[in-house]
Amino acid sequence: MTDLSPRIAEKHGRPCAAGQAARDDPLVARLQSFVALTRADLDSFYATMEAEQPIKKRRDLVLDGYEFCKLGFIKDGFAARYKLLRNGKRQIINFLLPGDMVGMPGSFLDRAPNSVIAISDMTLQVCALSAFVALCGRQPKFALALSWLAAQEAAIYAEHIIDIGRRSPLERLAHFLLEIHSRLNGVGRADDAGFDLPFTQEMMSDALGLSVPHLNRTLARLRAEGLIAVNERRVEFSDAKALALLAQFQPIHPTPIPFAADD
Amino acid sequence: MTDLSPRIAEKHGRPCAAGQAARDDPLVARLQSFVALTRADLDSFYATMEAEQPIKKRRDLVLDGYEFCKLGFIKDGFAARYKLLRNGKRQIINFLLPGDMVGMPGSFLDRAPNSVIAISDMTLQVCALSAFVALCGRQPKFALALSWLAAQEAAIYAEHIIDIGRRSPLERLAHFLLEIHSRLNGVGRADDAGFDLPFTQEMMSDALGLSVPHLNRTLARLRAEGLIAVNERRVEFSDAKALALLAQFQPIHPTPIPFAADD
DNA sequence: CGAAATTTTGATCACGTTCAACTTCAGTGG
DNA sequence: CCACTGAAGTTGAACGTGATCAAAATTTCG
């Protein structure tokens, strides 16, 4: 029904055009795990983008309570979605990594339900939500891709609820490290052995619902038990097997969009 | 681009056809808050449904770790999305109310990341994910609607993270009651004064990351402080103002899908 | 009605918070 | 080059909240 260019004949799950783009665009890398994108698709996608914005560390990207109607895709850098409470406590809901979306769920609601702050220098691709909607009208696969991304987001949040609600601090931290590693790995920002932690302990404690001292001790315990090794912000999984077992970690993999026959 | 029947001429945000359907279908009631649906739209939507399934209380709808590729829409009754951990603890991620979706996010991943169980008798409208995708190819507005629903889901999860992570048990329970009330109200299952609680205290404690005794005491405290009144499973908000202040509750309202000119 | 599930109450204790001090390190300007 | 500053990480001691376990009271349901 849509104008799928017949140029690509490959089977599902193994797209497609533009290995080029995939290499420098983490979002494309993510999308290609569940939807085939032709070069034409990518072109019309990039055409909806307004600009590639550089963002300074510590800049607020979204403000809790305000209307927000852009869609931002992180090309590089890190951010945190959080909420500040009356009592001064902060809960980090999620860390945003390359390939993640900034306007979700804020742009879909009358006002953003939380804030987003850059925790490193970033580069962002931005478009108006209405422009993306228009694109979806022409090519429904993008609307479906959006749903798929949103579902992944929800699945990640669900794990965070489980982390904070019922996992012990040790399991919680183990699960967190594995999750971040898995997500970074999915966009080519980590290797099998480990990754560079882009967060401070204060941020992690605010994400995991712990106090900073306790997070610190818990991290020390993971080290003491020989599960991880940390130096210079780099985390190595000394015993990935045991760590995954401790955390009961199940990686999140999207299923390909089940297009009927063609595609 | 899609066949929007010109039959309806009303302005945005105030749809449209089929007040009939809206009255008995909570999903339609929800959708109409952010997308205009013609009678033709509804017809093609209902046409993708396989069946209207009655479900018995305590039935498992989705099993953690198994592939699941249906989309279920709750017409009536209640369910809980949860995860069972090795240590026997259970975390309820979300309660599913009339108008909620069952296959989110399970059907979008290679395997469901959590289980869903019916906590009352239910009636469910079910379709294959692939059938819904096909519908979206013909009418992109449904794909967008799916994204909007997913974004709402994510926003609700985000609040749960904040609840469990950084709100005191009292604030947490207050927030929970207000959230459920607001969601029930949105599909015509509650009045301004209060609502019928369809959950046991054990379920609520598993949702809020508390022990049953502590949840019970916290509930008693809300009563003692004159914020709510409970009898026969019915919750009345004696002092809704104070309750919302205590919980820092901000209701979640979707913004209309920003279609360009027409529609 | 009887059995099972749910709600309520009580006593004890462990875990994680809080608060405080100290260390380490990177960046900056004198 | 070193002193200064502020941010981040580390360690310790005391306290309090909420878990745990147990049992009774109450309600629901087969």
Side-chain angles (χ1 to χ4, degrees):
Chain A
M1 65 286 319
T2 38
D3 55 342
L4 286 178
S5 93
R7 200 182 320 163
I8 47 131
E10 302 197 34
K11 264 293 160 232
H12 215 104
R14 173 76 58 77
C16 125
Q20 194 77 349
R23 224 168 298 126
D24 29 327
D25 193 332
L27 175 66
V28 173
R30 272 184 79 186
L31 291 175
Q32 286 187 339
S33 70
F34 58 84
V35 63
L37 294 174
T38 64
R39 167 129 299 289
D41 289 334
L42 288 176
D43 287 345
S44 46
F45 174 70
Y46 287 121
T48 65
M49 292 300 153
E50 287 174 1
E52 186 162 292
Q53 270 189 295
I55 303 278
K56 279 282 170 216
K57 183 171 175 175
R58 252 172 276 270
R59 252 284 305 278
D60 283 305
L61 301 180
V62 181
L63 279 180
D64 185 2
Y66 288 82
E67 188 184 8
F68 187 78
C69 54
K70 303 262 178 185
L71 236 38
F73 300 96
I74 299 178
K75 193 155 181 196
D76 196 46
F78 302 93
R81 181 184 308 290
Y82 69 97
K83 180 122 176 172
L84 232 41
L85 299 184
R86 200 179 0 156
N87 54 25
K89 290 177 188 292
R90 175 175 77 160
Q91 177 66 42
I92 290 181
I93 293 155
N94 194 19
F95 288 109
L96 304 187
L97 315 182
D100 281 336
M101 254 186 310
V102 169
M104 162 71 69
S107 296
F108 302 84
L109 306 176
D110 62 346
R111 52 190 55 205
N114 42 57
S115 306
V116 177
I117 189 169
I119 60 180
S120 73
D121 289 345
M122 313 178 65
T123 93
L124 215 55
Q125 286 186 313
V126 183
C127 72
L129 183 62
S130 55
F132 193 84
V133 166
L135 170 66
C136 293
R138 281 176 277 124
Q139 306 199 278
K141 63 160 62 170
F142 283 108
L144 286 166
L146 186 62
S147 300
W148 253 249
L149 289 176
Q152 282 182 62
E153 190 89 1
I156 289 170
Y157 290 11
E159 283 300 326
H160 292 174
I161 292 171
I162 297 161
D163 276 343
I164 299 178
R166 291 299 189 207
R167 280 197 250 257
S168 73
L170 199 70
E171 297 167 332
R172 202 181 298 190
L173 180 54
H175 194 280
F176 171 79
L177 293 174
L178 288 167
E179 178 207 311
I180 297 296
H181 175 257
S182 163
R183 288 170 62 192
L184 286 176
N185 206 28
V187 291
R189 299 292 206 276
D191 53 73
D192 288 343
F195 64 102
D196 272 322
L197 239 200
F199 318 123
T200 68
Q201 292 189 3
E202 189 186 15
M203 293 174 196
M204 293 192 281
S205 68
D206 279 340
L208 297 178
L210 296 171
S211 63
V212 173
H214 200 61
L215 179 93
N216 181 286
R217 283 185 259 262
T218 307
L219 200 53
R221 224 177 117 202
L222 278 184
R223 272 192 265 109
E225 302 199 358
L227 297 171
I228 65 170
V230 187
N231 49 1
E232 303 286 327
R233 282 288 177 95
R234 163 135 183 123
V235 177
E236 299 265 356
F237 295 133
S238 325
D239 190 344
K241 255 315 186 7
L243 200 65
L245 195 67
L246 169 66
Q248 303 231 259
F249 179 70
Q250 310 172 253
I252 289 171
H253 291 130
T255 197
I257 302 180
F259 289 112
D262 48 1
D263 198 278
Chain B
M1 66 298 299
T2 39
D3 53 344
L4 285 178
S5 93
R7 200 182 318 162
I8 48 130
E10 303 197 33
K11 265 294 161 232
H12 214 103
R14 171 76 58 78
C16 116
Q20 194 76 349
R23 223 168 299 125
D24 28 328
D25 194 332
L27 175 66
V28 173
R30 271 184 79 186
L31 291 176
Q32 287 187 338
S33 70
F34 58 85
V35 63
L37 294 173
T38 64
R39 166 128 302 287
D41 289 333
L42 289 176
D43 287 344
S44 45
F45 174 69
Y46 287 122
T48 65
M49 293 299 153
E50 287 174 1
E52 185 161 292
Q53 270 189 294
I55 304 279
K56 280 283 170 214
K57 182 172 175 174
R58 251 171 278 270
R59 252 285 303 280
D60 282 306
L61 301 181
V62 180
L63 279 180
D64 185 2
Y66 287 83
E67 189 184 6
F68 187 78
C69 54
K70 304 262 178 184
L71 238 38
F73 300 95
I74 299 177
K75 193 157 181 194
D76 197 46
F78 302 94
R81 181 183 309 287
Y82 69 97
K83 179 123 177 172
L84 229 43
L85 300 184
R86 201 176 2 154
N87 54 25
K89 290 177 187 293
R90 176 175 76 163
Q91 177 66 43
I92 290 180
I93 294 155
N94 193 19
F95 289 109
L96 304 187
L97 314 182
D100 281 336
M101 253 185 310
V102 170
M104 163 70 68
S107 298
F108 301 84
L109 307 176
D110 62 345
R111 51 190 55 204
N114 42 57
S115 306
V116 177
I117 189 170
I119 60 178
S120 74
D121 289 344
M122 314 177 65
T123 93
L124 215 54
Q125 286 187 314
V126 183
C127 73
L129 184 61
S130 55
F132 193 84
V133 167
L135 170 67
C136 293
R138 281 174 278 125
Q139 306 198 281
K141 63 160 60 169
F142 283 109
L144 287 166
L146 186 62
S147 301
W148 254 248
L149 288 177
Q152 280 181 64
E153 191 89 1
I156 289 170
Y157 289 10
E159 283 300 326
H160 292 174
I161 292 172
I162 296 161
D163 276 344
I164 299 178
R166 292 297 189 206
R167 280 196 250 256
S168 73
L170 199 71
E171 296 167 335
R172 202 182 300 191
L173 180 54
H175 194 279
F176 171 79
L177 293 174
L178 288 167
E179 177 208 313
I180 297 296
H181 175 258
S182 162
R183 289 170 60 192
L184 286 176
N185 206 28
V187 291
R189 299 292 206 277
D191 53 73
D192 288 343
F195 66 102
D196 272 321
L197 239 202
F199 319 123
T200 67
Q201 293 189 5
E202 188 185 15
M203 293 174 197
M204 292 192 282
S205 67
D206 279 341
L208 298 178
L210 297 171
S211 64
V212 174
H214 200 63
L215 180 92
N216 181 285
R217 282 186 258 261
T218 307
L219 200 53
R221 221 176 118 203
L222 279 183
R223 271 191 266 111
E225 302 199 0
L227 298 171
I228 64 169
V230 187
N231 48 0
E232 304 286 326
R233 281 288 175 93
R234 165 137 181 120
V235 176
E236 300 265 355
F237 295 133
S238 323
D239 190 345
K241 254 323 186 358
L243 200 64
L245 195 66
L246 169 67
Q248 303 230 258
F249 179 70
Q250 311 172 252
I252 289 171
H253 291 130
T255 196
I257 301 180
F259 288 112
D262 50 1
D263 198 282

